[in-house]
Amino acid sequence: MAKKKVEDKNSHNGEYIKNEGESSSNEEEPNFSDPEGYVDDISNEDLLGDLLRDKPKETDGVESVIVVDGVPQVGPDRIEKLKSVINKIFGKFGSIINDYYPLNENGHTKGYIFLEYASPLHAIEAVKITNNYKLDKQHTFLVNLFTDFSKYDKIPEKWEPPQPQPYKGQTDLHYYLLEPDAYDQFCVVKAPGQGQSVQIWQNTQPDPTLLEDRQTWTHTYVKWSPLGTYLSTFHKQGIALWGGPNFTQYKKFSHSLVQLIDFSPCEKYLVTYSPVVEINNPDQKRIIIWDIRTGQEKRSFNPDAPSAWPIFRWSHDDKFFAKMGTDILSIYETPSFGLLDKKSLKISGIRDFYWSPTDNVIAYWVAEDKDVPAKVTLLDIPNKAETRNKNLFNVADCKIHWQTSGDYLCVKVDRYSKVRKEKNETKYSGMYFNFEIFHMRERQIPVDSVECKEPIQAFAWEPVGTKFAFIHGESPNISVSFYNVKIGQAPTLLKKFEKRACNHLFWSPNGQYVVLAGLGSNGGGSLEFMDTNEFLVMNTTDHFMMSDVEWDPTGRYVVTGVSVWKTQVDTGYWIWSFQGKILKRVNLDRFVQLLWRPRPPTLLSEEQQKEIKIKLKKYYPQFESKDRMRQSKASKELIEKRAALMEKFNAYKQERIAEYNKQKPRRLELRNNIDTDELDADKDNVEEEIVEFFVKEEITVID
Amino acid sequence: MKPLMLHGHERAITQIKYNREGDLLFSSSKDNKPNVWYSLNGERLGTFNGHQGAVWCIDVDWMTTKFMSGAGDNTFRIWDCETGTEIGMMKTNSSVRTCNFSFSGNMAAFTTDKAMGHNCEIFIMDVRNVDESFSHADPILRIPINGPRVSAMLWGALDETLITGHENGEIIQWDIKTGKKLHTTKEHEHLINDMQMSKDSTMFITASKDHTAKLFDSDNLMLLKTYKTERPVNSAAVSPILEHVVLGGGQDAMDVTTTSARVGKFDSRFFHLVFEEEFGRVKG
């Protein structure tokens, strides 16, 4: 009844408005409809997608009704109690506006009830949560939407198999690894905002070649996946992945206003993070984890406290990922995406944790609490066994550094000798520093300690090998120390360099070579290329205002860049050989970043690699001759190009000279018949000057 | 190669010109006294005293008898080269930005700035006999410019045309007899700082704030070559003996000594005329 009235009113309103319209349509209204024969090239879906979703749909009122089966059958005396229990349980999803408890002839409830909510959304939520809810030992709720019954009733007799979708062949995602000369690719991003472009280059010798150049390919910046298969670009609506020889779009992930992303190490999953809550889409979670190959959303989270990105850290094989919260460590497993053992680990005072790069082991440290000392623990996953514990005293801060091959773990410990509590902050003084080296591969994981009195600026393990290096001291007395670790021994100091102006060090991905860099304005852009086998400085140069240093994945080239995020002038990148020889300087206006395309780990076994190293001398002349040919071809091309330009210009020049000569009489006229075309053309204007100068002295003895 | 330092000006230098035979160097600056020097050893001959504002432009005729200068005191003066005395003066409505003697030395062209209600204008004067009456002399030709102001100017090959470079990068070729535009081209995107003819006047090179210098044909204003840098180019010249061009620039001259050498990068760069490739630099 109520509905009908509303309808009446609407039509009445409509008529009313129409009258209004008629009265005012005396004036010519501009015609807003499309011209005849106009074919819309955008569907309504694209234009008003989200509005269409809110379009009111016809309902017959039963979408908000749920049927609950498995309700205890009670007599009339206990019905009130039953009702209150039901209301308590089901009232959580929305207000119940109607309920019906069917009774049999004795006045007992039949065991199933009908509940109506204010909105269908509440009903759906209720079904989701309470289905299979154990009320008590004998009663489990089986909850369904009322409409489900009619849906399942109406299943057609004939079943038609779904049509096979046409196969969308994937382009070869790993084409770049088959490049015959093993040239790496790198992407250059320039100019955030207007005029933005992303270029993909191949590092061919002698000059890199441009493979792709796309305008506004990304909104903010780009990121390669860890094994180099995909390039991810950022857009307002989400992330897009590109791959294959032509960088065709592989997948799209919609997550509005996404700001940060993280890939799982085996490229199975993608984590996207958008810190702002979007007004149009308030239900969107801030962190979403996607499966890359299917494009499905696997799980989403709303983190409660902001923490350092990446919030989720992955194990090396993608099997687990973990998150740290206040006093808890939550470890999830894939592909179920549920908590390991269905609960998080309570670790009070946990400050930081890292996975080992080769095993499923987590190293975490706990801050000290009054009398309880700080502790570093190694946790084996999935059995959650603590394989090693180390108590540390007088700890202000710790930083965990795993070696890339997982053989060693280094924990940099900041120790204090005095502590003061001021207001609500602890102030440490008299700092000294330790490196605790855990030998992971030895029984019972022995720990060695290396001490350092000066503040540490940077620390890095050699990616392939057994060395580590760190920069310590305060400007101007900055030194770099190199240590070696060996099984069964404490770390030994190999070499210490004093008075270097650097604040970062970058190892080559294959070890042995290292670049000491002074980044930023106080570093001045100093660069030192060092060979750590002999501790020889191969070259010392600089790149003014340098902000980034990137090694290529093979360790052959280094790129230093000045990004527009740091300074406005002189942005660009320089390519160096690993020995510090400058190869190319590219000045790019508003250059943002340069990223090398990563390579997956080599498929060659240890023996194969050793064999190749031994036989290197044999391969060497082949490559030498190839390089030389390429150089000469390049110079030949250049010479040809120049010859062509010269010819063209000379042809033009001859024409003009002919004209010029024709104009000579006019020129003489203008200058009173004095020929001024050449300085010595005018015989009268020439002055002869005789100058004597000393040539030779010869002494002849006259006898 | 050892540079000779010529200290004679108290403020930033605005223009320098050699005479035709190359033995004298004339320089003007924002202090109001243009100087003339011997090129051989850098000894100064003397100054031209009389201007009361920054001298923006100078030129010397082909016989090195007359010298002219235009300044920010809204005057255009002609001087005797040998003695340095002023022989004629003309008042203008705004600063005189560019000035040049014609090939024959019989005519002088100068342009004024756009300022205080007055448009930018091109003047061509007869300078065969200059005396006190010069200030009332009628120009042979007077062209008002309604668009962007003239920032650089050259005489065409046989004194038949005038080529002007404008604030927005446009280059216009004018016919002197009629005062009409013969050719127009807009290859530069920014202010043209300087234009200089090649030795045989068949081509000229322009230096612009848009970080490039371009080589044009002087007859039809066709673009021949472009030389790219990462800094605004203040001036450019074509070598009279070899296939080279030299570009100079970096920043406004007055900022050079007050900023780090790196930031300004005030060097002179040598490019190959045909290949457009930089082959050398000299630090400024």
PDB file of all heavy atoms in Angstrom, chain A residues 275-299:
ATOM      1  N   PRO A 275      47.918   4.367   0.703  1.00  0.00           N
ATOM      2  CA  PRO A 275      47.758   4.835   2.073  1.00  0.00           C
ATOM      3  C   PRO A 275      46.513   5.667   2.309  1.00  0.00           C
ATOM      4  O   PRO A 275      46.069   5.796   3.429  1.00  0.00           O
ATOM      5  CB  PRO A 275      49.020   5.677   2.315  1.00  0.00           C
ATOM      6  CG  PRO A 275      49.452   6.089   0.968  1.00  0.00           C
ATOM      7  CD  PRO A 275      49.034   5.039   0.012  1.00  0.00           C
ATOM      8  N   VAL A 276      45.940   6.244   1.232  1.00  0.00           N
ATOM      9  CA  VAL A 276      44.776   7.108   1.466  1.00  0.00           C
ATOM     10  C   VAL A 276      43.501   6.307   1.307  1.00  0.00           C
ATOM     11  O   VAL A 276      43.420   5.394   0.515  1.00  0.00           O
ATOM     12  CB  VAL A 276      44.760   8.279   0.472  1.00  0.00           C
ATOM     13  CG1 VAL A 276      45.710   9.334   0.923  1.00  0.00           C
ATOM     14  CG2 VAL A 276      45.133   7.812  -0.902  1.00  0.00           C
ATOM     15  N   VAL A 277      42.490   6.703   2.038  1.00  0.00           N
ATOM     16  CA  VAL A 277      41.184   6.065   1.873  1.00  0.00           C
ATOM     17  C   VAL A 277      40.445   6.847   0.820  1.00  0.00           C
ATOM     18  O   VAL A 277      40.302   8.062   0.901  1.00  0.00           O
ATOM     19  CB  VAL A 277      40.390   6.091   3.189  1.00  0.00           C
ATOM     20  CG1 VAL A 277      39.038   5.458   2.976  1.00  0.00           C
ATOM     21  CG2 VAL A 277      41.154   5.365   4.264  1.00  0.00           C
ATOM     22  N   GLU A 278      39.967   6.150  -0.202  1.00  0.00           N
ATOM     23  CA  GLU A 278      39.349   6.858  -1.308  1.00  0.00           C
ATOM     24  C   GLU A 278      37.887   7.112  -1.015  1.00  0.00           C
ATOM     25  O   GLU A 278      37.184   6.254  -0.482  1.00  0.00           O
ATOM     26  CB  GLU A 278      39.478   5.981  -2.554  1.00  0.00           C
ATOM     27  CG  GLU A 278      39.548   6.795  -3.794  1.00  0.00           C
ATOM     28  CD  GLU A 278      38.950   6.053  -4.963  1.00  0.00           C
ATOM     29  OE1 GLU A 278      38.646   4.859  -4.820  1.00  0.00           O
ATOM     30  OE2 GLU A 278      38.752   6.685  -5.988  1.00  0.00           O
ATOM     31  N   ILE A 279      37.416   8.295  -1.398  1.00  0.00           N
ATOM     32  CA  ILE A 279      36.054   8.680  -1.033  1.00  0.00           C
ATOM     33  C   ILE A 279      35.022   7.837  -1.772  1.00  0.00           C
ATOM     34  O   ILE A 279      34.009   7.450  -1.224  1.00  0.00           O
ATOM     35  CB  ILE A 279      35.825  10.160  -1.370  1.00  0.00           C
ATOM     36  CG1 ILE A 279      37.049  10.968  -0.924  1.00  0.00           C
ATOM     37  CG2 ILE A 279      34.584  10.662  -0.669  1.00  0.00           C
ATOM     38  CD1 ILE A 279      37.127  12.312  -1.534  1.00  0.00           C
ATOM     39  N   ASN A 280      35.319   7.550  -3.057  1.00  0.00           N
ATOM     40  CA  ASN A 280      34.320   6.811  -3.821  1.00  0.00           C
ATOM     41  C   ASN A 280      34.260   5.358  -3.427  1.00  0.00           C
ATOM     42  O   ASN A 280      33.316   4.665  -3.741  1.00  0.00           O
ATOM     43  CB  ASN A 280      34.683   6.853  -5.323  1.00  0.00           C
ATOM     44  CG  ASN A 280      34.542   8.259  -5.843  1.00  0.00           C
ATOM     45  OD1 ASN A 280      33.918   9.065  -5.190  1.00  0.00           O
ATOM     46  ND2 ASN A 280      35.129   8.519  -6.980  1.00  0.00           N
ATOM     47  N   ASN A 281      35.318   4.887  -2.829  1.00  0.00           N
ATOM     48  CA  ASN A 281      35.428   3.459  -2.618  1.00  0.00           C
ATOM     49  C   ASN A 281      35.907   3.202  -1.202  1.00  0.00           C
ATOM     50  O   ASN A 281      37.001   2.732  -0.987  1.00  0.00           O
ATOM     51  CB  ASN A 281      36.448   2.911  -3.630  1.00  0.00           C
ATOM     52  CG  ASN A 281      36.201   1.457  -3.913  1.00  0.00           C
ATOM     53  OD1 ASN A 281      35.366   0.828  -3.269  1.00  0.00           O
ATOM     54  ND2 ASN A 281      36.938   0.932  -4.863  1.00  0.00           N
ATOM     55  N   PRO A 282      35.079   3.526  -0.208  1.00  0.00           N
ATOM     56  CA  PRO A 282      35.570   3.462   1.165  1.00  0.00           C
ATOM     57  C   PRO A 282      35.864   2.054   1.628  1.00  0.00           C
ATOM     58  O   PRO A 282      36.567   1.855   2.597  1.00  0.00           O
ATOM     59  CB  PRO A 282      34.432   4.073   1.991  1.00  0.00           C
ATOM     60  CG  PRO A 282      33.230   3.920   1.153  1.00  0.00           C
ATOM     61  CD  PRO A 282      33.678   3.945  -0.264  1.00  0.00           C
ATOM     62  N   ASP A 283      35.312   1.050   0.938  1.00  0.00           N
ATOM     63  CA  ASP A 283      35.557  -0.311   1.384  1.00  0.00           C
ATOM     64  C   ASP A 283      36.890  -0.834   0.920  1.00  0.00           C
ATOM     65  O   ASP A 283      37.305  -1.905   1.334  1.00  0.00           O
ATOM     66  CB  ASP A 283      34.476  -1.248   0.831  1.00  0.00           C
ATOM     67  CG  ASP A 283      33.154  -0.972   1.523  1.00  0.00           C
ATOM     68  OD1 ASP A 283      33.205  -0.535   2.678  1.00  0.00           O
ATOM     69  OD2 ASP A 283      32.126  -1.180   0.892  1.00  0.00           O
ATOM     70  N   GLN A 284      37.540  -0.090   0.005  1.00  0.00           N
ATOM     71  CA  GLN A 284      38.780  -0.646  -0.539  1.00  0.00           C
ATOM     72  C   GLN A 284      39.820  -0.718   0.554  1.00  0.00           C
ATOM     73  O   GLN A 284      40.078   0.253   1.251  1.00  0.00           O
ATOM     74  CB  GLN A 284      39.282   0.266  -1.659  1.00  0.00           C
ATOM     75  CG  GLN A 284      40.557  -0.218  -2.256  1.00  0.00           C
ATOM     76  CD  GLN A 284      41.057   0.719  -3.315  1.00  0.00           C
ATOM     77  OE1 GLN A 284      40.803   0.534  -4.485  1.00  0.00           O
ATOM     78  NE2 GLN A 284      41.741   1.758  -2.899  1.00  0.00           N
ATOM     79  N   LYS A 285      40.430  -1.894   0.669  1.00  0.00           N
ATOM     80  CA  LYS A 285      41.453  -2.076   1.679  1.00  0.00           C
ATOM     81  C   LYS A 285      42.723  -1.371   1.250  1.00  0.00           C
ATOM     82  O   LYS A 285      42.961  -1.162   0.077  1.00  0.00           O
ATOM     83  CB  LYS A 285      41.754  -3.575   1.827  1.00  0.00           C
ATOM     84  CG  LYS A 285      40.574  -4.375   2.255  1.00  0.00           C
ATOM     85  CD  LYS A 285      40.234  -4.135   3.676  1.00  0.00           C
ATOM     86  CE  LYS A 285      39.102  -5.046   4.061  1.00  0.00           C
ATOM     87  NZ  LYS A 285      38.684  -4.915   5.391  1.00  0.00           N
ATOM     88  N   ARG A 286      43.554  -1.044   2.202  1.00  0.00           N
ATOM     89  CA  ARG A 286      44.737  -0.277   1.858  1.00  0.00           C
ATOM     90  C   ARG A 286      45.855  -1.153   1.320  1.00  0.00           C
ATOM     91  O   ARG A 286      46.681  -0.693   0.562  1.00  0.00           O
ATOM     92  CB  ARG A 286      45.211   0.528   3.066  1.00  0.00           C
ATOM     93  CG  ARG A 286      44.184   1.594   3.422  1.00  0.00           C
ATOM     94  CD  ARG A 286      44.825   2.781   4.043  1.00  0.00           C
ATOM     95  NE  ARG A 286      45.275   2.507   5.400  1.00  0.00           N
ATOM     96  CZ  ARG A 286      44.480   2.503   6.447  1.00  0.00           C
ATOM     97  NH1 ARG A 286      43.206   2.751   6.321  1.00  0.00           N
ATOM     98  NH2 ARG A 286      44.977   2.244   7.639  1.00  0.00           N
ATOM     99  N   ILE A 287      45.931  -2.408   1.769  1.00  0.00           N
ATOM    100  CA  ILE A 287      46.944  -3.303   1.187  1.00  0.00           C
ATOM    101  C   ILE A 287      46.214  -4.451   0.518  1.00  0.00           C
ATOM    102  O   ILE A 287      45.360  -5.077   1.121  1.00  0.00           O
ATOM    103  CB  ILE A 287      47.865  -3.886   2.272  1.00  0.00           C
ATOM    104  CG1 ILE A 287      48.574  -2.764   2.997  1.00  0.00           C
ATOM    105  CG2 ILE A 287      48.859  -4.821   1.648  1.00  0.00           C
ATOM    106  CD1 ILE A 287      49.616  -3.265   3.955  1.00  0.00           C
ATOM    107  N   ILE A 288      46.561  -4.735  -0.738  1.00  0.00           N
ATOM    108  CA  ILE A 288      45.950  -5.877  -1.427  1.00  0.00           C
ATOM    109  C   ILE A 288      47.070  -6.749  -1.962  1.00  0.00           C
ATOM    110  O   ILE A 288      48.068  -6.249  -2.492  1.00  0.00           O
ATOM    111  CB  ILE A 288      45.068  -5.412  -2.604  1.00  0.00           C
ATOM    112  CG1 ILE A 288      44.017  -4.410  -2.115  1.00  0.00           C
ATOM    113  CG2 ILE A 288      44.390  -6.597  -3.253  1.00  0.00           C
ATOM    114  CD1 ILE A 288      43.106  -3.936  -3.205  1.00  0.00           C
ATOM    115  N   ILE A 289      46.892  -8.080  -1.811  1.00  0.00           N
ATOM    116  CA  ILE A 289      47.873  -9.006  -2.376  1.00  0.00           C
ATOM    117  C   ILE A 289      47.219  -9.708  -3.560  1.00  0.00           C
ATOM    118  O   ILE A 289      46.127 -10.245  -3.441  1.00  0.00           O
ATOM    119  CB  ILE A 289      48.328 -10.043  -1.335  1.00  0.00           C
ATOM    120  CG1 ILE A 289      48.835  -9.307  -0.090  1.00  0.00           C
ATOM    121  CG2 ILE A 289      49.419 -10.909  -1.910  1.00  0.00           C
ATOM    122  CD1 ILE A 289      49.465 -10.205   0.924  1.00  0.00           C
ATOM    123  N   TRP A 290      47.883  -9.683  -4.701  1.00  0.00           N
ATOM    124  CA  TRP A 290      47.347 -10.241  -5.931  1.00  0.00           C
ATOM    125  C   TRP A 290      48.185 -11.416  -6.374  1.00  0.00           C
ATOM    126  O   TRP A 290      49.379 -11.460  -6.149  1.00  0.00           O
ATOM    127  CB  TRP A 290      47.407  -9.204  -7.056  1.00  0.00           C
ATOM    128  CG  TRP A 290      46.865  -7.881  -6.725  1.00  0.00           C
ATOM    129  CD1 TRP A 290      47.488  -6.886  -6.052  1.00  0.00           C
ATOM    130  CD2 TRP A 290      45.569  -7.378  -7.065  1.00  0.00           C
ATOM    131  NE1 TRP A 290      46.670  -5.795  -5.955  1.00  0.00           N
ATOM    132  CE2 TRP A 290      45.496  -6.052  -6.567  1.00  0.00           C
ATOM    133  CE3 TRP A 290      44.481  -7.913  -7.752  1.00  0.00           C
ATOM    134  CZ2 TRP A 290      44.363  -5.282  -6.731  1.00  0.00           C
ATOM    135  CZ3 TRP A 290      43.360  -7.132  -7.911  1.00  0.00           C
ATOM    136  CH2 TRP A 290      43.304  -5.827  -7.399  1.00  0.00           C
ATOM    137  N   ASP A 291      47.539 -12.346  -7.095  1.00  0.00           N
ATOM    138  CA  ASP A 291      48.272 -13.407  -7.770  1.00  0.00           C
ATOM    139  C   ASP A 291      48.579 -12.869  -9.166  1.00  0.00           C
ATOM    140  O   ASP A 291      47.680 -12.450  -9.886  1.00  0.00           O
ATOM    141  CB  ASP A 291      47.378 -14.655  -7.858  1.00  0.00           C
ATOM    142  CG  ASP A 291      48.068 -15.805  -8.575  1.00  0.00           C
ATOM    143  OD1 ASP A 291      48.737 -15.575  -9.603  1.00  0.00           O
ATOM    144  OD2 ASP A 291      47.938 -16.936  -8.098  1.00  0.00           O
ATOM    145  N   ILE A 292      49.851 -12.857  -9.543  1.00  0.00           N
ATOM    146  CA  ILE A 292      50.217 -12.177 -10.791  1.00  0.00           C
ATOM    147  C   ILE A 292      49.705 -12.905 -12.018  1.00  0.00           C
ATOM    148  O   ILE A 292      49.205 -12.299 -12.951  1.00  0.00           O
ATOM    149  CB  ILE A 292      51.747 -11.990 -10.860  1.00  0.00           C
ATOM    150  CG1 ILE A 292      52.168 -10.982  -9.789  1.00  0.00           C
ATOM    151  CG2 ILE A 292      52.180 -11.524 -12.225  1.00  0.00           C
ATOM    152  CD1 ILE A 292      53.619 -10.621  -9.835  1.00  0.00           C
ATOM    153  N   ARG A 293      49.807 -14.238 -12.009  1.00  0.00           N
ATOM    154  CA  ARG A 293      49.471 -14.931 -13.254  1.00  0.00           C
ATOM    155  C   ARG A 293      47.978 -14.933 -13.528  1.00  0.00           C
ATOM    156  O   ARG A 293      47.563 -14.910 -14.666  1.00  0.00           O
ATOM    157  CB  ARG A 293      50.025 -16.337 -13.224  1.00  0.00           C
ATOM    158  CG  ARG A 293      51.540 -16.258 -13.238  1.00  0.00           C
ATOM    159  CD  ARG A 293      52.184 -17.524 -13.638  1.00  0.00           C
ATOM    160  NE  ARG A 293      51.908 -17.840 -15.027  1.00  0.00           N
ATOM    161  CZ  ARG A 293      52.127 -19.019 -15.548  1.00  0.00           C
ATOM    162  NH1 ARG A 293      52.580 -19.980 -14.803  1.00  0.00           N
ATOM    163  NH2 ARG A 293      51.844 -19.247 -16.813  1.00  0.00           N
ATOM    164  N   THR A 294      47.159 -14.979 -12.485  1.00  0.00           N
ATOM    165  CA  THR A 294      45.725 -14.995 -12.758  1.00  0.00           C
ATOM    166  C   THR A 294      45.116 -13.606 -12.636  1.00  0.00           C
ATOM    167  O   THR A 294      44.026 -13.357 -13.136  1.00  0.00           O
ATOM    168  CB  THR A 294      44.968 -15.899 -11.768  1.00  0.00           C
ATOM    169  OG1 THR A 294      45.212 -15.397 -10.453  1.00  0.00           O
ATOM    170  CG2 THR A 294      45.459 -17.321 -11.860  1.00  0.00           C
ATOM    171  N   GLY A 295      45.808 -12.692 -11.979  1.00  0.00           N
ATOM    172  CA  GLY A 295      45.259 -11.354 -11.809  1.00  0.00           C
ATOM    173  C   GLY A 295      44.218 -11.264 -10.713  1.00  0.00           C
ATOM    174  O   GLY A 295      43.547 -10.257 -10.551  1.00  0.00           O
ATOM    175  N   GLN A 296      44.094 -12.347  -9.917  1.00  0.00           N
ATOM    176  CA  GLN A 296      43.052 -12.334  -8.882  1.00  0.00           C
ATOM    177  C   GLN A 296      43.540 -11.675  -7.611  1.00  0.00           C
ATOM    178  O   GLN A 296      44.698 -11.780  -7.255  1.00  0.00           O
ATOM    179  CB  GLN A 296      42.709 -13.774  -8.503  1.00  0.00           C
ATOM    180  CG  GLN A 296      41.758 -14.428  -9.435  1.00  0.00           C
ATOM    181  CD  GLN A 296      41.466 -15.816  -8.919  1.00  0.00           C
ATOM    182  OE1 GLN A 296      42.279 -16.397  -8.216  1.00  0.00           O
ATOM    183  NE2 GLN A 296      40.330 -16.324  -9.248  1.00  0.00           N
ATOM    184  N   GLU A 297      42.591 -11.090  -6.908  1.00  0.00           N
ATOM    185  CA  GLU A 297      42.912 -10.534  -5.601  1.00  0.00           C
ATOM    186  C   GLU A 297      42.877 -11.671  -4.603  1.00  0.00           C
ATOM    187  O   GLU A 297      41.895 -12.395  -4.502  1.00  0.00           O
ATOM    188  CB  GLU A 297      41.861  -9.494  -5.236  1.00  0.00           C
ATOM    189  CG  GLU A 297      42.136  -8.816  -3.928  1.00  0.00           C
ATOM    190  CD  GLU A 297      41.055  -7.810  -3.575  1.00  0.00           C
ATOM    191  OE1 GLU A 297      40.658  -7.071  -4.495  1.00  0.00           O
ATOM    192  OE2 GLU A 297      40.619  -7.790  -2.427  1.00  0.00           O
ATOM    193  N   LYS A 298      43.982 -11.878  -3.918  1.00  0.00           N
ATOM    194  CA  LYS A 298      44.052 -13.021  -3.022  1.00  0.00           C
ATOM    195  C   LYS A 298      43.647 -12.671  -1.606  1.00  0.00           C
ATOM    196  O   LYS A 298      42.953 -13.395  -0.925  1.00  0.00           O
ATOM    197  CB  LYS A 298      45.493 -13.572  -3.001  1.00  0.00           C
ATOM    198  CG  LYS A 298      45.820 -14.388  -4.204  1.00  0.00           C
ATOM    199  CD  LYS A 298      45.030 -15.650  -4.198  1.00  0.00           C
ATOM    200  CE  LYS A 298      45.358 -16.518  -5.376  1.00  0.00           C
ATOM    201  NZ  LYS A 298      44.487 -17.657  -5.466  1.00  0.00           N
ATOM    202  N   ARG A 299      44.135 -11.534  -1.131  1.00  0.00           N
ATOM    203  CA  ARG A 299      43.811 -11.155   0.243  1.00  0.00           C
ATOM    204  C   ARG A 299      44.037  -9.668   0.382  1.00  0.00           C
ATOM    205  O   ARG A 299      44.866  -9.096  -0.311  1.00  0.00           O
ATOM    206  CB  ARG A 299      44.743 -11.901   1.194  1.00  0.00           C
ATOM    207  CG  ARG A 299      44.174 -11.850   2.551  1.00  0.00           C
ATOM    208  CD  ARG A 299      44.318 -12.822   3.491  1.00  0.00           C
ATOM    209  NE  ARG A 299      43.838 -12.159   4.730  1.00  0.00           N
ATOM    210  CZ  ARG A 299      44.012 -12.653   5.918  1.00  0.00           C
ATOM    211  NH1 ARG A 299      44.663 -13.791   6.051  1.00  0.00           N
ATOM    212  NH2 ARG A 299      43.563 -12.034   6.972  1.00  0.00           N
TER     213      ARG A 299
END
